[in-house]
Amino acid sequence: MRQAARPPCGRGDGRHASSPLVSPSPYTCVKAKRGGEMPDIRDVARHMKLESPEMASVSLQVRNDALLRIKQALQESKERIFAANAKDLAAADEANVAPAVRKRLLFDEHKLADVCAGIDSLVSLPDPVGRVLLRRELDQGLVLSRVTCPIGVIGVIFEARPDAMVQISTLCIKSGNCAMLKGGSETLNTNREMFEVIRAAALSAGLPDACLYLAEAHREVDELLGCYGYVDLLIPRGSNAFVRYIMDNTKIPVMGHADGICHVYVDKAAEVPMAVRICLDAKTQYTAACNAAETLLVHRDVAAKFLPPMAEAYREAGVTLRGDKAVRDLVGCEPATEDDWDTEYLAPIISAKVVDNIDQAIDHINRHGSHHTDAIVTDDDAAAKRFMRLVDSAGVYQNASTRFADGFRYGFGAEVGISTGKLHARGPVGLDGLVTYKYELHGSGQVVGDYAEGRSHFHFRDLD
């Protein structure tokens, strides 16, 4: 590995300094794996946990400098990254992988430009660390603050999509977290080259040695799942079966989503040309994405006007339409079965159903959806308000494509994934989802006994 030397840094500027409490690093990145014995991942996780406070204390200036160095290094090293990606694509072609999967594997000039734009956006965002969320005077000279801080050590396990390597690494750096990364074997060569470039640039800015680690062996997934107590959070990105396996086989908290069964409901008050445009984009802009629409619900009063032009647009785009009897009576298409309502196609296929009213649409979404992203197309604001209030999903839209469910499109710079859970973070997870908070109490000699025995009294007063 071409690794920049780590410069000596004093703690006065917020950079990393060696600590007597931190043991020597048990690994030297990927180099050890290529020619020597693999480090034990629990040793790596243990070391990261010990060094995570150092990473959390790195100044915003140094973290932003690391991001800019990573962007420059990616641009300067693009030919070797593209060459590595060509090897992965050739292997995928030989294995006859599905077109949707192969599209995710590709890393080209367009995706490089996208990740670089994401880095620029991250640099421009305010520091998520050290924000004071609450300041409360409990008594004179006794002040409580709630202050944001990094989560610590985050393990991210992702399939395909080498651009995820950049997004995850840079988000963790900006938020002051250490990251253990495990990419899929289908992009082994691309991930390895990109990681070496990213880590070398990060260390050259003065980040701690343990800021990033790349796991490559398949066995390391199960070893990572067993790192309870050292890894603070796991974020899986991949198929339904893959995410469920992660959730079922670890004690570490997991943040993510298993399915992406997204809906578009075309209301009776929808403008038909707009509805056709939105539904086409939601299905075809990128069919392999988790925020692509998989089911179309149509109000009976607008079905005769909307479905014929929609079916024609899908046919022209190469999308297979599967419909219930009411849909088939209006347009010729394949029949939809009950299983279709619970299917994430990730392919140019969409199921369609006619509903009698908005409440039937809401009920269908809450029963069959994955609580990811669902949209209503309507000019009736009251209907939209009811839909948004009652649909239990991380993202609920009016007159917009479900494909907008993305950290970059939300102005987060990028995302480590999308969460359909309701604890800590929900929807596209950007910087705010990668920090937690701690309580800081500043006193002047107070003891609880004085309050318990009535000598002192609380007079809670919020400050600022």
mmCIF file of all heavy atoms in Angstrom, residues 286-313:
data_model
loop_
_atom_site.group_PDB
_atom_site.id
_atom_site.type_symbol
_atom_site.label_atom_id
_atom_site.label_comp_id
_atom_site.label_asym_id
_atom_site.label_seq_id
_atom_site.Cartn_x
_atom_site.Cartn_y
_atom_site.Cartn_z
ATOM 1 N N TYR A 286 -33.581 4.900 -11.950
ATOM 2 C CA TYR A 286 -32.557 3.936 -11.549
ATOM 3 C C TYR A 286 -33.281 2.765 -10.890
ATOM 4 O O TYR A 286 -33.564 2.790 -9.691
ATOM 5 C CB TYR A 286 -31.554 4.582 -10.592
ATOM 6 C CG TYR A 286 -30.347 3.734 -10.260
ATOM 7 C CD1 TYR A 286 -29.799 2.860 -11.182
ATOM 8 C CD2 TYR A 286 -29.748 3.812 -9.004
ATOM 9 C CE1 TYR A 286 -28.695 2.089 -10.869
ATOM 10 C CE2 TYR A 286 -28.632 3.049 -8.687
ATOM 11 C CZ TYR A 286 -28.112 2.191 -9.627
ATOM 12 O OH TYR A 286 -27.013 1.423 -9.323
ATOM 13 N N THR A 287 -33.604 1.762 -11.687
ATOM 14 C CA THR A 287 -34.484 0.691 -11.198
ATOM 15 C C THR A 287 -33.867 -0.126 -10.079
ATOM 16 O O THR A 287 -34.586 -0.755 -9.293
ATOM 17 C CB THR A 287 -34.860 -0.263 -12.349
ATOM 18 O OG1 THR A 287 -33.666 -0.813 -12.916
ATOM 19 C CG2 THR A 287 -35.645 0.459 -13.429
ATOM 20 N N ALA A 288 -32.531 -0.145 -9.960
ATOM 21 C CA ALA A 288 -31.872 -0.986 -8.964
ATOM 22 C C ALA A 288 -31.772 -0.320 -7.598
ATOM 23 O O ALA A 288 -31.244 -0.920 -6.663
ATOM 24 C CB ALA A 288 -30.478 -1.374 -9.451
ATOM 25 N N ALA A 289 -32.277 0.903 -7.480
ATOM 26 C CA ALA A 289 -32.149 1.627 -6.211
ATOM 27 C C ALA A 289 -33.270 1.243 -5.259
ATOM 28 O O ALA A 289 -34.388 0.904 -5.663
ATOM 29 C CB ALA A 289 -32.176 3.131 -6.459
ATOM 30 N N CYS A 290 -32.976 1.346 -3.958
ATOM 31 C CA CYS A 290 -33.980 0.989 -2.946
ATOM 32 C C CYS A 290 -35.116 1.986 -2.889
ATOM 33 O O CYS A 290 -36.166 1.691 -2.309
ATOM 34 C CB CYS A 290 -33.318 0.859 -1.570
ATOM 35 S SG CYS A 290 -32.543 2.372 -0.975
ATOM 36 N N ASN A 291 -34.950 3.178 -3.483
ATOM 37 C CA ASN A 291 -36.021 4.169 -3.456
ATOM 38 C C ASN A 291 -36.796 4.214 -4.769
ATOM 39 O O ASN A 291 -37.584 5.131 -4.993
ATOM 40 C CB ASN A 291 -35.475 5.554 -3.096
ATOM 41 C CG ASN A 291 -34.372 6.011 -4.039
ATOM 42 O OD1 ASN A 291 -34.184 5.445 -5.112
ATOM 43 N ND2 ASN A 291 -33.648 7.052 -3.635
ATOM 44 N N ALA A 292 -36.577 3.237 -5.640
ATOM 45 C CA ALA A 292 -37.372 3.147 -6.864
ATOM 46 C C ALA A 292 -38.762 2.624 -6.518
ATOM 47 O O ALA A 292 -38.927 1.764 -5.652
ATOM 48 C CB ALA A 292 -36.691 2.220 -7.869
ATOM 49 N N ALA A 293 -39.788 3.126 -7.206
ATOM 50 C CA ALA A 293 -41.157 2.687 -6.948
ATOM 51 C C ALA A 293 -41.355 1.256 -7.431
ATOM 52 O O ALA A 293 -40.907 0.886 -8.516
ATOM 53 C CB ALA A 293 -42.141 3.620 -7.636
ATOM 54 N N GLU A 294 -42.039 0.449 -6.623
ATOM 55 C CA GLU A 294 -42.327 -0.936 -6.990
ATOM 56 C C GLU A 294 -43.819 -1.182 -7.178
ATOM 57 O O GLU A 294 -44.209 -2.125 -7.860
ATOM 58 C CB GLU A 294 -41.786 -1.892 -5.914
ATOM 59 C CG GLU A 294 -40.311 -1.712 -5.568
ATOM 60 C CD GLU A 294 -39.360 -2.125 -6.679
ATOM 61 O OE1 GLU A 294 -39.778 -2.192 -7.851
ATOM 62 O OE2 GLU A 294 -38.174 -2.370 -6.381
ATOM 63 N N THR A 295 -44.654 -0.331 -6.561
ATOM 64 C CA THR A 295 -46.105 -0.488 -6.680
ATOM 65 C C THR A 295 -46.756 0.862 -6.964
ATOM 66 O O THR A 295 -46.402 1.874 -6.349
ATOM 67 C CB THR A 295 -46.707 -1.087 -5.396
ATOM 68 O OG1 THR A 295 -46.163 -2.385 -5.175
ATOM 69 C CG2 THR A 295 -48.221 -1.207 -5.508
ATOM 70 N N LEU A 296 -47.718 0.834 -7.891
ATOM 71 C CA LEU A 296 -48.469 2.022 -8.282
ATOM 72 C C LEU A 296 -49.918 1.830 -7.842
ATOM 73 O O LEU A 296 -50.556 0.825 -8.166
ATOM 74 C CB LEU A 296 -48.384 2.187 -9.806
ATOM 75 C CG LEU A 296 -49.162 3.310 -10.462
ATOM 76 C CD1 LEU A 296 -48.664 4.666 -9.959
ATOM 77 C CD2 LEU A 296 -49.006 3.225 -11.984
ATOM 78 N N LEU A 297 -50.427 2.775 -7.069
ATOM 79 C CA LEU A 297 -51.819 2.759 -6.627
ATOM 80 C C LEU A 297 -52.552 3.917 -7.300
ATOM 81 O O LEU A 297 -52.054 5.047 -7.322
ATOM 82 C CB LEU A 297 -51.898 2.893 -5.108
ATOM 83 C CG LEU A 297 -51.145 1.813 -4.308
ATOM 84 C CD1 LEU A 297 -51.160 2.156 -2.820
ATOM 85 C CD2 LEU A 297 -51.751 0.439 -4.544
ATOM 86 N N VAL A 298 -53.748 3.623 -7.850
ATOM 87 C CA VAL A 298 -54.465 4.626 -8.644
ATOM 88 C C VAL A 298 -55.914 4.731 -8.154
ATOM 89 O O VAL A 298 -56.615 3.715 -8.034
ATOM 90 C CB VAL A 298 -54.454 4.245 -10.146
ATOM 91 C CG1 VAL A 298 -55.117 5.347 -10.971
ATOM 92 C CG2 VAL A 298 -53.030 3.989 -10.632
ATOM 93 N N HIS A 299 -56.348 5.964 -7.895
ATOM 94 C CA HIS A 299 -57.745 6.190 -7.482
ATOM 95 C C HIS A 299 -58.668 5.838 -8.648
ATOM 96 O O HIS A 299 -58.398 6.183 -9.809
ATOM 97 C CB HIS A 299 -57.930 7.658 -7.083
ATOM 98 C CG HIS A 299 -59.197 7.917 -6.342
ATOM 99 N ND1 HIS A 299 -60.440 7.855 -6.945
ATOM 100 C CD2 HIS A 299 -59.429 8.235 -5.030
ATOM 101 C CE1 HIS A 299 -61.366 8.137 -6.048
ATOM 102 N NE2 HIS A 299 -60.782 8.368 -4.877
ATOM 103 N N ARG A 300 -59.751 5.160 -8.343
ATOM 104 C CA ARG A 300 -60.677 4.685 -9.380
ATOM 105 C C ARG A 300 -61.197 5.821 -10.259
ATOM 106 O O ARG A 300 -61.400 5.638 -11.477
ATOM 107 C CB ARG A 300 -61.844 3.951 -8.721
ATOM 108 C CG ARG A 300 -62.710 3.180 -9.692
ATOM 109 C CD ARG A 300 -63.748 2.328 -8.978
ATOM 110 N NE ARG A 300 -63.124 1.345 -8.106
ATOM 111 C CZ ARG A 300 -62.634 0.177 -8.523
ATOM 112 N NH1 ARG A 300 -62.697 -0.138 -9.806
ATOM 113 N NH2 ARG A 300 -62.104 -0.661 -7.658
ATOM 114 N N ASP A 301 -61.376 7.020 -9.671
ATOM 115 C CA ASP A 301 -61.969 8.130 -10.433
ATOM 116 C C ASP A 301 -61.037 8.685 -11.502
ATOM 117 O O ASP A 301 -61.494 9.375 -12.416
ATOM 118 C CB ASP A 301 -62.376 9.262 -9.490
ATOM 119 C CG ASP A 301 -63.556 8.896 -8.603
ATOM 120 O OD1 ASP A 301 -64.114 7.792 -8.801
ATOM 121 O OD2 ASP A 301 -63.903 9.688 -7.709
ATOM 122 N N VAL A 302 -59.735 8.418 -11.392
ATOM 123 C CA VAL A 302 -58.781 8.948 -12.367
ATOM 124 C C VAL A 302 -58.150 7.837 -13.200
ATOM 125 O O VAL A 302 -57.397 8.109 -14.136
ATOM 126 C CB VAL A 302 -57.690 9.780 -11.646
ATOM 127 C CG1 VAL A 302 -56.649 8.862 -10.984
ATOM 128 C CG2 VAL A 302 -57.003 10.756 -12.588
ATOM 129 N N ALA A 303 -58.479 6.593 -12.897
ATOM 130 C CA ALA A 303 -57.817 5.452 -13.542
ATOM 131 C C ALA A 303 -57.976 5.458 -15.055
ATOM 132 O O ALA A 303 -57.010 5.207 -15.797
ATOM 133 C CB ALA A 303 -58.346 4.142 -12.959
ATOM 134 N N ALA A 304 -59.183 5.742 -15.568
ATOM 135 C CA ALA A 304 -59.423 5.693 -17.010
ATOM 136 C C ALA A 304 -58.630 6.760 -17.753
ATOM 137 O O ALA A 304 -58.232 6.563 -18.920
ATOM 138 C CB ALA A 304 -60.916 5.836 -17.300
ATOM 139 N N LYS A 305 -58.380 7.899 -17.117
ATOM 140 C CA LYS A 305 -57.593 8.960 -17.758
ATOM 141 C C LYS A 305 -56.090 8.727 -17.611
ATOM 142 O O LYS A 305 -55.316 9.029 -18.517
ATOM 143 C CB LYS A 305 -57.952 10.324 -17.142
ATOM 144 C CG LYS A 305 -59.336 10.833 -17.492
ATOM 145 C CD LYS A 305 -59.513 12.279 -17.056
ATOM 146 C CE LYS A 305 -59.398 12.423 -15.538
ATOM 147 N NZ LYS A 305 -59.609 13.830 -15.100
ATOM 148 N N PHE A 306 -55.690 8.172 -16.470
ATOM 149 C CA PHE A 306 -54.267 8.078 -16.160
ATOM 150 C C PHE A 306 -53.608 6.804 -16.682
ATOM 151 O O PHE A 306 -52.494 6.845 -17.227
ATOM 152 C CB PHE A 306 -54.069 8.164 -14.645
ATOM 153 C CG PHE A 306 -52.700 7.773 -14.180
ATOM 154 C CD1 PHE A 306 -51.608 8.619 -14.372
ATOM 155 C CD2 PHE A 306 -52.485 6.552 -13.557
ATOM 156 C CE1 PHE A 306 -50.336 8.253 -13.951
ATOM 157 C CE2 PHE A 306 -51.225 6.176 -13.122
ATOM 158 C CZ PHE A 306 -50.144 7.027 -13.326
ATOM 159 N N LEU A 307 -54.248 5.670 -16.535
ATOM 160 C CA LEU A 307 -53.570 4.401 -16.819
ATOM 161 C C LEU A 307 -53.174 4.200 -18.284
ATOM 162 O O LEU A 307 -52.063 3.705 -18.551
ATOM 163 C CB LEU A 307 -54.419 3.229 -16.324
ATOM 164 C CG LEU A 307 -54.321 2.979 -14.815
ATOM 165 C CD1 LEU A 307 -55.360 1.954 -14.357
ATOM 166 C CD2 LEU A 307 -52.910 2.506 -14.438
ATOM 167 N N PRO A 308 -53.992 4.557 -19.270
ATOM 168 C CA PRO A 308 -53.541 4.351 -20.651
ATOM 169 C C PRO A 308 -52.248 5.090 -21.001
ATOM 170 O O PRO A 308 -51.308 4.468 -21.505
ATOM 171 C CB PRO A 308 -54.738 4.837 -21.487
ATOM 172 C CG PRO A 308 -55.919 4.569 -20.600
ATOM 173 C CD PRO A 308 -55.437 4.912 -19.215
ATOM 174 N N PRO A 309 -52.125 6.409 -20.732
ATOM 175 C CA PRO A 309 -50.842 7.057 -21.039
ATOM 176 C C PRO A 309 -49.691 6.542 -20.166
ATOM 177 O O PRO A 309 -48.540 6.494 -20.605
ATOM 178 C CB PRO A 309 -51.108 8.543 -20.791
ATOM 179 C CG PRO A 309 -52.292 8.599 -19.884
ATOM 180 C CD PRO A 309 -53.124 7.409 -20.257
ATOM 181 N N MET A 310 -50.008 6.137 -18.917
ATOM 182 C CA MET A 310 -48.952 5.606 -18.043
ATOM 183 C C MET A 310 -48.449 4.267 -18.571
ATOM 184 O O MET A 310 -47.237 4.020 -18.615
ATOM 185 C CB MET A 310 -49.500 5.439 -16.621
ATOM 186 C CG MET A 310 -48.445 5.049 -15.591
ATOM 187 S SD MET A 310 -47.309 6.394 -15.172
ATOM 188 C CE MET A 310 -45.842 5.978 -16.126
ATOM 189 N N ALA A 311 -49.369 3.413 -18.985
ATOM 190 C CA ALA A 311 -48.974 2.105 -19.526
ATOM 191 C C ALA A 311 -48.139 2.269 -20.780
ATOM 192 O O ALA A 311 -47.158 1.539 -20.994
ATOM 193 C CB ALA A 311 -50.223 1.268 -19.804
ATOM 194 N N GLU A 312 -48.515 3.211 -21.632
ATOM 195 C CA GLU A 312 -47.747 3.455 -22.847
ATOM 196 C C GLU A 312 -46.340 3.964 -22.518
ATOM 197 O O GLU A 312 -45.352 3.548 -23.141
ATOM 198 C CB GLU A 312 -48.480 4.476 -23.727
ATOM 199 C CG GLU A 312 -47.766 4.833 -25.026
ATOM 200 C CD GLU A 312 -47.552 3.623 -25.925
ATOM 201 O OE1 GLU A 312 -48.334 2.660 -25.849
ATOM 202 O OE2 GLU A 312 -46.588 3.650 -26.723
ATOM 203 N N ALA A 313 -46.237 4.861 -21.542
ATOM 204 C CA ALA A 313 -44.919 5.372 -21.139
ATOM 205 C C ALA A 313 -44.050 4.248 -20.596
ATOM 206 O O ALA A 313 -42.846 4.182 -20.878
ATOM 207 C CB ALA A 313 -45.082 6.470 -20.089
#
